[in-house]
Amino acid sequence: MTHPPNVRTAPEHERAQPPVPTAVPVPPQRGALSVTADKVRAAATTEPGRLQIIGAVLALLVVAFGAVTAFEIADRASAADDVVGRSQPLSADAAAVYRSLADADTAAASGFLAGAQEPRDLHDRYEKDIREASRLLVKAAANTDASTESGHEITTLNEELPRYTGLIERARANNRQGLPLGGAYIRYANQRMSKVLLPAAERLYAAETGRLGEDSDAARARPYLSLALGVVALAALFWMQRRNYRRTNRVFNHGLLVATAASTVVLLWLAVGHTVARSELHGADANGQQSLDVLNHARIDSLKARANENLTLVARGAVLTADGQHDKYETDYTADMKALGAELKKAGQLADDARGGDPVKKAVDAVSEWQDRHRTARTADDGGDYEGARAQIIGPEDSTGESFERVDDALERALAHEQDEFTRAAKDGRGALGGLPVGAAALAVLGAAATIVGINRRLSEYR
């Protein structure tokens, strides 16, 4: 193809290109929170908008007060329920395991000391104690995690108890045949009891009592957050009513008045209910559990002292203390009686009424009589009158065994009274919290609804 003369064809790269479009900046996207904040700020510039904001805040405050109260009191009520239905019964069962084991050892030693023909009542008492300890251990195992401290102690007791009863049966068999080996078996059984079984039972009791203390503390913890929210909610409601009065010259807004009344009821119910519960649970601990703890130890000390007293005659000086200077069982008896006297003194101080104090006084008198008769028995034994000493220890009249039974009976009555005191006070404490979580939630919903109705009443004046 030919081109016209003097016409120059532009190179391809110089030919005109289509214009490049210019990018239009896109405004940044605003978050929902930012948009909402702008709307709130815009609403706050008008009185209807301000009323809507205030109404929403007030309703939220009242609902939050009710919800937190329901949550906190439900937690306290659950802990109080654990005190009544779980912790204290398990603690009492652990103490009963300890007492049953100590009493079984005492009965076994007394029966052995009586001779080849073990008295039927002592044999039955021993069997009853072993069955009771076994039953309580099964119950405790069913309510305790095996990996806990209590679970380990229960396992130890379940393993050692059959070994102990086996040693007792061997001692009895040899004793019936008149073989001196029976004395060795009964002493070894007592050693297993005092060195393994009773310490494990004591640790179990301490663990369960510690758990009881934790539950009691949790039930008595003050609901500070609920109280603070209640005060804030009431203050906000009073402020809003005062604001409404100053702007409209109206004394009452019925919706706000109902919300204030509902919040006041919840706050008073919370303060009074928890104060009563806290007082009753404190009384259960101070006037019940502390006395129970002291009395349990006193009864155990008396049982151990009785077992050691019997074994003093069984061993007849064959077992000495580590220094080789004194009879071990007599030394242990003296220590147990000293501990018993200290526990009884403390129990007398803790007793807050005649029904609790009188049995303790009788136990103190019986202990004094027991010690006098024991000294008489030791004098007879040291003088070579073994039969006279044995009669003084296990005889039917004027014996240390008779004094021991008086101590044990008095302590049993004192324990029963203090257990009743604890149960009554703990149940009263739990009852003081009853209905409060549900009531607080219901009244909070009522208060929030009333607040919205009251604010809407004011808003209707602007339409």
Side-chain angles (χ1 to χ4, degrees):
M1 177 178 180
T2 59
H3 297 279
N6 300 323
V7 177
R8 179 176 177 271
T9 302
E12 185 176 354
H13 69 277
E14 292 182 3
R15 294 174 187 173
Q17 300 293 325
V20 178
T22 304
V24 178
V26 179
Q29 294 294 322
R30 300 180 64 197
L33 186 63
S34 177
V35 173
T36 302
D38 286 346
K39 290 181 179 180
V40 171
R41 280 193 291 270
T45 60
T46 65
E47 180 61 13
R50 285 191 289 270
L51 286 173
Q52 289 179 327
I53 295 170
I54 293 171
V57 172
L58 287 175
L60 284 174
L61 269 176
V62 173
V63 168
F65 171 42
V68 172
T69 298
F71 175 78
E72 285 197 322
I73 296 305
D75 182 66
R76 270 63 168 181
S78 177
D81 193 58
D82 283 342
V83 168
V84 176
R86 182 180 66 94
S87 305
Q88 206 282 326
L90 285 175
S91 175
D93 286 348
V97 168
Y98 199 145
R99 288 197 305 270
S100 295
L101 292 174
D103 192 57
D105 196 50
T106 299
S110 297
F112 187 92
L113 186 60
Q117 297 299 320
E118 182 180 15
R120 186 66 187 176
D121 61 330
L122 290 175
H123 179 83
D124 291 345
R125 181 171 180 170
Y126 167 84
E127 294 292 338
K128 179 183 177 182
D129 286 331
I130 295 298
R131 285 196 304 271
E132 181 68 3
S134 300
R135 182 187 69 82
L136 292 173
L137 286 173
V138 170
K139 179 182 175 183
N143 291 280
T144 305
D145 187 347
S147 62
T148 62
E149 180 183 354
S150 295
H152 291 311
E153 302 304 340
I154 291 169
T155 299
T156 299
L157 289 166
N158 280 324
E159 290 174 350
E160 289 293 332
L161 187 55
R163 297 172 186 170
Y164 171 80
T165 56
L167 290 169
I168 294 297
E169 291 307 317
R170 291 182 185 182
R172 285 172 171 169
N174 282 276
N175 197 33
R176 283 193 294 268
Q177 299 176 50
L179 300 176
L181 189 59
Y185 276 119
I186 197 72
R187 292 195 300 271
Y188 185 57
N190 172 263
Q191 183 181 6
R192 298 299 297 174
M193 177 63 75
S194 60
K195 300 296 184 184
V196 180
L197 283 159
L198 289 183
E202 186 172 14
R203 290 192 296 270
L204 174 63
Y205 173 67
E208 295 301 334
T209 302
R211 184 159 62 171
L212 169 60
E214 291 173 1
D215 287 340
S216 181
D217 289 343
R220 288 184 288 161
R222 296 185 186 278
Y224 288 114
L225 184 56
S226 298
L227 292 170
L229 276 173
V231 171
V232 171
L234 279 177
L237 286 166
F238 278 119
W239 171 82
M240 180 56 192
Q241 290 177 90
R242 187 170 185 276
R243 180 183 188 274
N244 186 53
Y245 170 73
R246 294 178 66 182
R247 289 175 178 269
T248 65
N249 208 30
R250 293 174 184 153
V251 178
F252 296 120
N253 177 292
H254 294 102
L256 294 176
L257 191 63
V258 170
T260 303
S263 298
T264 302
V265 169
V266 174
L267 186 61
L268 290 175
W269 191 357
L270 170 65
V272 174
H274 191 269
T275 299
V276 172
R278 182 181 173 87
S279 175
E280 291 293 343
L281 289 168
H282 175 74
D285 177 67
N287 301 324
Q289 183 56 34
Q290 290 184 25
S291 293
L292 284 171
D293 187 54
V294 172
L295 290 168
N296 277 321
H297 281 97
R299 197 175 186 193
I300 290 163
D301 286 333
S302 70
L303 290 166
K304 289 163 63 178
R306 179 60 178 167
N308 283 316
E309 182 179 52
N310 290 331
L311 288 167
T312 301
L313 285 183
V314 172
R316 306 193 71 174
V319 182
L320 301 177
T321 55
D323 59 8
Q325 300 297 316
H326 305 283
D327 184 288
K328 179 184 181 303
Y329 295 116
E330 179 65 18
T331 301
D332 289 345
Y333 161 84
T334 302
D336 292 334
M337 293 298 283
K338 182 177 180 181
L340 173 59
E343 296 291 352
L344 288 176
K345 181 178 179 181
K346 191 182 301 184
Q349 294 170 347
L350 289 172
D352 59 343
D353 58 14
R355 289 186 60 198
D358 288 346
V360 175
K361 292 177 182 177
K362 291 180 180 178
V364 171
D365 294 339
V367 165
S368 178
E369 177 187 74
W370 182 1
Q371 290 174 318
D372 290 340
R373 292 177 177 180
H374 178 81
R375 283 190 287 268
T376 302
R378 293 310 312 147
T379 299
D381 189 37
D382 292 340
D385 184 7
Y386 175 79
E387 292 301 325
R390 190 175 72 160
Q392 189 69 27
I393 298 295
I394 62 172
E397 294 181 0
D398 300 330
S399 65
T400 61
E402 189 179 39
S403 300
F404 160 74
E405 291 296 340
R406 289 176 182 167
V407 173
D408 195 61
D409 289 344
L411 290 176
E412 186 174 12
R413 290 196 302 274
L415 280 164
H417 170 69
E418 297 300 339
Q419 181 65 61
D420 289 342
E421 289 278 291
F422 176 90
T423 302
R424 179 195 57 76
K427 285 184 176 180
D428 287 347
R430 180 182 62 180
L433 299 176
L436 179 52
V438 175
L443 287 171
V445 171
L446 173 63
T451 299
I452 294 172
V453 170
I455 294 297
N456 284 340
R457 178 66 178 166
R458 282 282 293 120
L459 286 172
S460 67
E461 298 172 2
Y462 290 89
R463 295 170 188 162

